[in-house]
Amino acid sequence: MLQRKPTRFGKSLGKTTGWIHRASLRHKQVKMLCGVSYERVDEAGLHIRINGEPHLLAVDNVIICAGQESNPRLYSAIKSSRVPVHLIGGARLATELDAKRAIEEGTRLSAGL
């Protein structure tokens, strides 16, 4: 799991809630990387930088969680390249802040990939 912010995952959550979520992810052996900048996705995988140092993650799928404002440009660009893409959460419908719906859609999509 990657995030652009350099702060630890869940820092803005309540003290108990953030700790519980991080512990659950660690228990499931989810690697969490902070301070990531995204370069590109190609046949080799996901190209990122951490502290300016390039890294390549050999991945089969990429799920982008990009905030709560609809912005169809990225979706349109990916779709036009004929790469399979799904639009979910706030990117699909950002009429109101509904993190529960977005998380459920992301979970269902990732479970089906």
Side-chain angles (χ1 to χ4, degrees), residues 8-73:
R8 72 181 192 274
F9 280 84
K11 182 178 181 190
S12 62
L13 299 173
K15 188 174 185 176
T16 305
T17 304
W19 179 86
I20 290 169
H21 289 307
R22 282 189 300 276
S24 175
L25 291 168
R26 276 192 300 272
H27 178 73
K28 294 173 183 166
Q29 299 179 340
V30 173
K31 188 170 183 179
M32 295 174 271
L33 300 174
C34 303
V36 174
S37 62
Y38 308 101
E39 300 290 317
R40 68 184 182 283
V41 178
D42 61 20
E43 296 80 18
L46 175 61
H47 299 261
I48 62 172
R49 287 188 180 271
I50 302 173
N51 298 323
E53 183 179 325
H55 295 270
L56 172 62
L57 304 177
V59 297
D60 296 320
N61 298 289
V62 176
I63 298 174
I64 301 170
C65 304
Q68 292 296 324
E69 292 184 22
S70 294
N71 183 343
R73 291 188 310 264

